[in-house]
Amino acid sequence: MERFEKQILSGLNQILDSPITTKDLEIPSDPNLGDFAFPCFHLAKRQKKNPAQIAKDLAENLKTLIPGSIEISTLGAYLNFKIKPHEAISSILASILEEDGLGHYGELTQNTRNTWVIEYSSPNIMKAFLISHLRSTALGAALSRIGRFRGFQVISINHLGDWGTQFGKLAIAIKLYGQHLPAKPTIHDLVNLYVRFHKEAEKDPTLEDQAREAFLKLEQDDPEITAFWKQCVETATCDFKKIYEKLSVHFDYYWGESFYKHLLTPMLESLKRKKLLIESEGAWIVPLTDEFGKDLTPCILQKKDGATIYATRDVAAAIYRYEKLRFHRMSYIVGTDQKLHFQQVFSVLKKIGHTWASNCEHIPFGMYRFKDAKMSTRQGNFVTFEEVLKLTQGKVKELMEQRTLQITFNENEKEEVSEQIALGALVFFDLRADPIKDIDFDLDRVTDFEGETGPYLQYAHTRCHSILRKAKESAPNKIGDKIYDNICFDPSLVLLLSQKEEILLIKVLGRFPLHLERALEFSKASQLANYLIDITKAFGAFYRECHVLGQEPRLTQARLILVEATRRILARGLSLLGIPLPKKM
Ligand code: ARG
């Protein structure tokens, strides 16, 4: 389908005065309406003309510029393009099945495109891995995987929150109330003490001063507090890594905030010399204006007591990363509540003269809201990922028990599969939503095996498998092995696929690369997640209307080719989103 898309773009670009790209071509969710659509509203506004008329004129002019395999029509303000079925079918199925069973359709050669730094997850050592960190982690990891698959040189960074006054607070808390701490405290032990500190500090404000002093000592490399800090970071990182393993998430660099600590003083000195950093009420700030010249809240880089802050580390981190990695794009996947922070950081970088700062972007996301009363009353959305996972897995087990009519699981399998399904359910629910909106967590909806959910997609994938397996079992031995073990493209067979549902499914499958590219352009994994739902719908219709097994052998074979193509795209799409594939469900 990418070939057709290129032809359409090239045709349009020969006529239009300002160039358009992939982003400007829509993909109607129902292929019956067309394979691509070009809305003419923008043009109409610019040219002050009727959009429907523009669409008509464009259609007329395009006729000679676009190959005959693409039909052009108009519907109101839309210019629609439809690829003639016989052109589409062979080329799509051939490319999906061309390679071995891994599903490389839509893959571009590794590292042939720009360097893209994606920073995501970045939990705070003192706050455990919260459900809000799942948002950043799921989206960041999905964009990284899709980016790599599409040829970008993706570099992923975990900016752990491992520096700051909180360590001063914890050190004081341990000194004052840590007598009963086990020799090897867990992260939860530490978090509890940290919480206790805050309670006590409400009664005794001098505790805050003590904590600040302790942090200052840490910044000055005091050996005792440094050793203590190191231990906290190791304990927490070890816990985080267990979660990452479950989620199949990996980072090229764990460069936490502390990683940049030795760059801070030289940076501050240099900014002071250049008079970019000015003194204000004892603190050091960079005065800022936004892109329209309006005043923006100034960015503090050094506090009155000489300590650095979160923003200081972010400015130093960005400069370091650029020097080391020479990225073309750097994305920070962080909650919407930090919008101002990133505006400030990027503005400071620009003010220093780093033109590459305009290639830095904040990809924001909304919060989780819980219906469940127990969770929603929790202060500051303080719900950990692990408790949500446990809750979800429990529900999945219940559902599995109700469903296991044909399939039996032993205890180990049940544990493994229920975790895979629960993870798939959570990750999919998260990614399917528009990242910018808040998420209403509803356990029944998350785990609904029949709804538009992760489990439903996982199930569609196992169903493709089981059809292929059954085909193999029912076929006469020799031929069976040959045909069904390694299903390959056969041009004469696929010509038999001419039913409405078959053609629709093939066309939907062919859209895979288009959606991947759009997911990257819009920084939205939901583009891929929703597309996978479209596949399962088209597959469902195909399976209802077109029986696969027990048909005239060549027709069965042709349909098996289609089942295998569906299986490959689903498997690849789910893996790119980070959704595990259970063997049976
Ligand atoms: N640790 C922060 C948090 O959990 C997120 C870090 C975001 N990244 C950054 N470069 N500031 O809220």
Side-chain angles (χ1 to χ4, degrees):
M1 287 305 242
E2 278 187 300
R3 172 162 61 95
F4 300 114
E5 182 189 39
K6 276 204 190 101
Q7 291 168 340
I8 295 170
L9 284 174
S10 132
L12 278 168
N13 278 326
Q14 286 175 56
I15 310 178
L16 301 173
D17 41 7
S18 58
I20 60 162
T21 64
T22 316
K23 259 199 214 164
D24 306 297
L25 277 190
E26 291 178 8
I27 309 173
S29 99
D30 177 2
N32 285 320
L33 295 174
D35 294 294
F36 297 95
F38 179 65
C40 297
F41 303 107
H42 282 301
L43 281 179
K45 223 175 174 183
R46 229 179 320 140
Q47 301 177 3
K48 300 206 170 61
K49 274 199 200 153
N50 175 338
Q53 190 56 45
I54 295 193
K56 280 209 182 88
D57 294 347
L58 280 177
E60 202 42 50
N61 292 334
L62 271 174
K63 274 191 187 138
T64 51
L65 299 173
I66 279 177
S69 49
I70 306 173
E71 280 171 20
I72 311 173
S73 63
T74 60
L75 187 68
Y78 282 87
L79 193 57
N80 288 332
F81 302 91
K82 204 166 187 174
I83 319 298
K84 291 191 179 150
H86 64 276
E87 299 278 343
I89 289 176
S90 279
S91 79
I92 291 171
L93 286 179
S95 354
I96 298 179
L97 294 157
E98 193 175 48
E99 315 263 348
D100 47 28
L102 296 173
H104 289 280
Y105 181 58
E107 183 168 13
L108 299 180
T109 318
Q110 266 187 15
N111 300 341
T112 46
R113 297 173 85 182
N114 286 341
T115 303
W116 183 16
V117 170
I118 309 186
E119 187 222 274
Y120 64 92
S121 196
S122 313
N124 297 324
I125 302 284
M126 282 311 28
K127 283 203 194 138
F129 196 95
L130 302 178
I131 189 69
S132 58
H133 292 113
L134 175 68
R135 294 224 74 182
S136 169
T137 309
L139 180 58
L143 291 179
S144 302
R145 293 187 202 97
I146 301 171
R148 281 197 190 102
F149 191 70
R150 296 291 290 170
F152 286 95
Q153 184 174 357
V154 173
I155 299 171
S156 54
I157 299 180
N158 192 333
H159 190 74
L160 289 170
D162 62 359
W163 204 243
T165 4
Q166 64 267 39
F167 293 96
K169 291 179 184 172
L170 184 65
I172 299 299
I174 290 184
K175 198 166 91 191
L176 297 178
Y177 339 106
Q179 301 84 351
H180 305 298
L181 213 57
K184 259 195 170 293
T186 66
I187 191 68
H188 295 291
D189 296 326
L190 300 180
V191 172
N192 285 341
L193 276 178
Y194 182 65
V195 172
R196 165 122 189 239
F197 175 92
H198 283 273
K199 279 205 190 111
E200 303 282 344
E202 276 172 23
K203 291 178 256 162
D204 176 6
T206 65
L207 285 178
E208 295 278 0
D209 296 331
Q210 293 181 41
R212 260 193 293 277
E213 242 169 67
F215 175 54
L216 220 52
K217 272 197 190 159
L218 184 60
E219 287 217 294
Q220 290 152 359
D221 290 327
D222 173 88
E224 194 186 334
I225 183 159
T226 302
F228 157 76
W229 163 82
K230 255 201 183 120
Q231 216 206 332
C232 297
V233 175
E234 270 163 28
T235 312
T237 311
C238 189
D239 279 6
F240 294 152
K241 283 192 176 161
K242 284 183 204 141
I243 297 177
Y244 294 139
E245 207 173 303
K246 277 192 206 273
L247 293 167
S248 306
V249 165
H250 121 105
F251 294 94
D252 293 306
Y253 299 107
Y254 279 85
W255 288 345
E257 288 185 48
S258 69
F259 180 78
Y260 309 97
K261 65 182 178 200
H262 294 303
L263 303 173
L264 306 180
T265 312
M267 179 183 83
L268 292 172
E269 304 279 283
S270 137
L271 294 182
K272 282 176 191 169
R273 268 198 311 277
K274 290 187 196 148
K275 306 251 182 302
L276 288 169
L277 199 56
I278 57 168
E279 209 179 338
S280 164
E281 298 171 26
W284 290 87
I285 64 163
V286 182
L288 297 173
T289 46
D290 69 8
E291 57 204 302
F292 310 107
K294 247 181 67 198
D295 280 349
L296 199 70
T297 320
C299 185
I300 301 181
L301 291 186
Q302 195 171 24
K303 293 199 292 190
K304 248 199 260 170
D305 61 8
T308 60
I309 66 164
Y310 184 53
T312 328
R313 266 113 49 200
D314 258 325
V315 173
I319 297 172
Y320 178 85
R321 292 173 190 175
Y322 186 75
E323 277 167 8
K324 270 270 175 283
L325 310 170
R326 298 278 154 185
F327 54 79
H328 298 90
R329 174 180 179 191
M330 173 152 72
S331 308
Y332 295 80
I333 310 198
V334 185
T336 317
D337 51 338
Q338 296 194 26
K339 187 168 169 213
L340 174 64
H341 167 76
F342 283 105
Q343 253 179 342
Q344 290 177 312
V345 170
F346 300 156
S347 303
V348 170
L349 290 168
K350 281 183 197 151
K351 208 164 168 186
I352 300 176
H354 296 302
T355 44
W356 49 261
S358 52
N359 302 329
C360 295
E361 59 173 352
H362 171 209
I363 301 180
F365 56 81
M367 297 221 305
Y368 265 82
R369 282 191 298 237
F370 289 91
K371 226 170 77 180
D372 181 305
K374 194 176 115 220
M375 300 227 184
S376 62
T377 51
R378 214 73 69 71
Q379 214 187 0
N381 210 7
F382 198 85
V383 176
T384 67
F385 167 68
E386 283 189 300
E387 60 189 315
V388 180
L389 177 60
K390 208 166 142 203
L391 192 77
T392 311
Q393 191 174 356
K395 176 83 188 176
V396 167
K397 277 187 190 156
E398 257 172 50
L399 292 169
M400 279 169 76
E401 257 148 44
Q402 291 163 18
R403 289 171 61 93
T404 36
L405 296 171
Q406 302 105 331
I407 307 171
T408 47
F409 294 98
N410 64 34
E411 272 313 302
N412 282 346
E413 281 176 337
K414 193 166 157 193
E415 202 50 42
E416 186 192 352
V417 173
S418 62
E419 186 176 280
Q420 288 180 318
I421 298 178
L423 285 166
L426 287 173
V427 171
F428 188 79
F429 194 71
D430 191 302
L431 291 180
R432 183 166 187 212
D434 186 341
I436 200 77
K437 297 202 177 123
D438 285 348
I439 288 198
D440 283 308
F441 185 87
D442 175 342
L443 194 55
D444 292 329
R445 272 184 51 219
V446 173
T447 54
D448 184 357
F449 279 55
E450 314 295 332
E452 297 182 354
T453 60
Y456 177 69
L457 285 170
Q458 291 171 317
Y459 178 65
H461 175 258
T462 56
R463 195 156 64 153
C464 292
H465 254 303
S466 72
I467 297 170
L468 294 162
R469 199 182 48 238
K470 273 195 200 123
K472 191 176 156 187
E473 285 161 9
S474 64
N477 266 343
K478 264 230 162 81
I479 309 172
D481 282 353
K482 199 159 153 250
I483 300 174
Y484 303 125
D485 263 355
N486 182 18
I487 291 187
C488 31
F489 177 71
D490 177 333
S492 68
L493 282 180
V494 299
L495 283 182
L496 301 173
L497 300 170
S498 55
Q499 285 229 36
K500 200 166 88 238
E501 293 78 13
E502 292 167 329
I503 292 170
L504 202 81
L505 175 58
I506 296 169
K507 279 200 162 184
V508 173
L509 293 177
R511 294 171 161 194
F512 185 50
L514 307 177
H515 284 286
L516 294 180
E517 202 55 27
R518 279 161 180 75
L520 297 176
E521 293 235 14
F522 299 119
S523 308
K524 281 184 182 172
S526 52
Q527 184 83 30
L528 173 57
N530 284 307
Y531 163 67
L532 295 182
I533 293 286
D534 290 345
I535 297 186
T536 52
K537 282 189 186 154
F539 182 72
F542 155 74
Y543 196 62
R544 256 192 322 276
E545 301 302 324
C546 312
H547 294 276
V548 178
L549 304 179
Q551 305 298 299
E552 188 272 312
R554 283 172 55 82
L555 184 60
T556 289
Q557 284 173 42
R559 289 186 174 159
L560 285 172
I561 290 180
L562 189 46
V563 175
E564 170 65 5
T566 310
R567 186 196 67 77
R568 288 190 190 189
I569 302 288
L570 276 179
R572 178 60 80 179
L574 288 168
S575 310
L576 288 174
L577 291 180
I579 292 178
L581 302 172
K583 284 203 196 68
K584 54 182 186 179
M585 272 178 84

